[in-house]
Amino acid sequence: MKSISLYKDMGTWLNLMHPYTKLLYIVAAISIPLIGSKLWLFGVFIAASLVILASGKVLRHAVPLLAFSATLIVVIFLVQGLFNHANEQVLFAIGPMTFYKEGVLFATKLGLNILNMLLSFGIFVLTTSPEELVDEMEKNGFSAKFGYVINSVFQILPQMMMTKDTITDAQRSRGLETEGSLGVRMKAFIPLISPVVMSSLVNTRERAIALEVRGFGRKNKKTWLADRPKHKGDKAIGAVLVLLIVLTIAGRVLGWL
């Protein structure tokens, strides 16, 4: 059966790491550059995320994230560099387009922030099993319904992508043109997106019925077949990340950053 999550079990140390440790890395990767307010901090965590993804053998699976962020950053760069309300000092010009220093700096910081967030979340999504995350959350007192919501968030995008591919193949077999010029693609958009949305709604209802049949709404305490073994690096990595966050806050308060 084909997986409907982005999780990749590569048998590396990242797969063995506790989900909470990877969540803490996300918090550190996002908060430290924002608190420190230095561009080089974004660069440090972007580089760190790339190294972590590579060591976890999932870097190639993060390429779509990089492609998406590159497109988004280019758009931000154009809009902010040309039209930011604070633009005053001309930085450079390309033909009729004049880019300003204020807008380019703002776009650079925003673009690095987006890339940093995508890569840090990519580490978590690509190396954490949704089922394992939900189990750990329920063991720590979270309700099963909350765990189901989290699990659904992980699965909705890949599930919709799988549904889209199936519907695209079905529409092609009926003679619908889905490739070619921009006009052809736009014309095929409605016949493709409508069944995807309807199918997702139907799947949601069917999943809700299946969960109720399996006793999802039970009141008795849940038991577990096995406990998850703890990774030896969880405590050390967690302590380092917390220390970095505290030091960054202290550095900002004391004026070091």
Side-chain angles (χ1 to χ4, degrees):
M1 181 177 178
K2 188 175 181 180
S3 173
I4 57 173
S5 73
L6 298 176
Y7 170 63
K8 307 295 179 185
D9 187 2
M10 309 302 290
T12 64
W13 66 278
L14 267 181
N15 296 120
L16 299 176
M17 193 69 64
H18 197 283
Y20 289 174
T21 305
K22 286 177 273 192
L23 283 174
L24 182 58
Y25 175 78
I26 293 176
V27 174
I30 294 175
S31 63
I32 289 177
L34 291 177
I35 295 171
S37 191
K38 300 291 184 181
L39 288 179
W40 62 268
L41 287 173
F42 289 104
V44 167
F45 276 98
I46 289 172
S49 295
L50 290 173
V51 171
I52 292 171
L53 288 167
S55 67
K57 300 180 181 180
V58 291
L59 182 58
R60 66 184 182 89
H61 298 290
V63 171
L65 291 176
L66 297 175
F68 171 77
S69 62
T71 303
L72 189 59
I73 290 171
V74 169
V75 173
I76 292 173
F77 181 82
L78 290 173
V79 173
Q80 297 297 331
L82 294 170
F83 307 113
N84 189 290
H85 65 89
N87 285 346
E88 290 183 2
Q89 184 178 347
V90 176
L91 187 62
F92 62 89
I94 301 177
M97 297 186 297
T98 301
F99 292 85
Y100 295 83
K101 180 180 178 180
E102 294 80 8
V104 170
L105 286 176
F106 180 81
T108 300
K109 185 173 182 179
L110 185 59
L112 290 175
N113 191 22
I114 292 172
L115 180 58
N116 180 40
M117 287 191 293
L118 286 175
L119 288 176
S120 58
F121 273 100
I123 292 172
F124 182 80
V125 172
L126 292 172
T127 64
T128 305
S129 169
E131 292 79 9
E132 181 182 336
L133 173 63
V134 172
D135 286 348
E136 291 298 319
M137 293 177 69
E138 290 188 31
K139 288 178 183 178
N140 285 274
F142 288 91
S143 69
K145 293 182 179 180
F146 182 77
Y148 171 71
V149 171
I150 298 298
N151 198 8
S152 297
V153 169
F154 276 87
Q155 294 183 351
I156 187 170
L157 181 58
Q159 185 177 33
M160 291 187 72
M161 290 173 64
M162 290 172 58
T163 303
K164 178 189 73 68
D165 292 340
T166 301
I167 292 174
T168 299
D169 292 338
Q171 297 288 42
R172 284 175 181 168
S173 68
R174 297 185 179 100
L176 178 67
E177 294 185 19
T178 59
E179 296 181 351
S181 64
L182 179 60
V184 172
R185 293 174 181 270
M186 291 181 64
K187 185 178 179 181
F189 179 76
I190 298 299
L192 289 177
I193 196 64
S194 298
V196 170
V197 174
M198 294 302 297
S199 178
S200 298
L201 294 175
V202 172
N203 288 338
T204 300
R205 177 174 174 77
E206 290 179 349
R207 185 179 298 182
I209 294 174
L211 287 171
E212 289 302 324
V213 170
R214 295 170 184 173
F216 182 75
R218 71 198 182 287
K219 301 298 182 181
N220 56 312
K221 187 177 180 180
K222 186 176 180 179
T223 58
W224 312 95
L225 291 175
D227 289 329
R228 180 189 182 283
K230 293 185 177 180
H231 189 272
K232 59 182 180 181
D234 280 324
K235 289 186 177 180
I237 294 174
V240 170
L241 292 173
V242 171
L243 178 62
L244 288 175
I245 294 174
V246 172
L247 288 176
T248 303
I249 296 173
R252 190 59 187 269
V253 172
L254 298 175
W256 300 338
L257 293 173

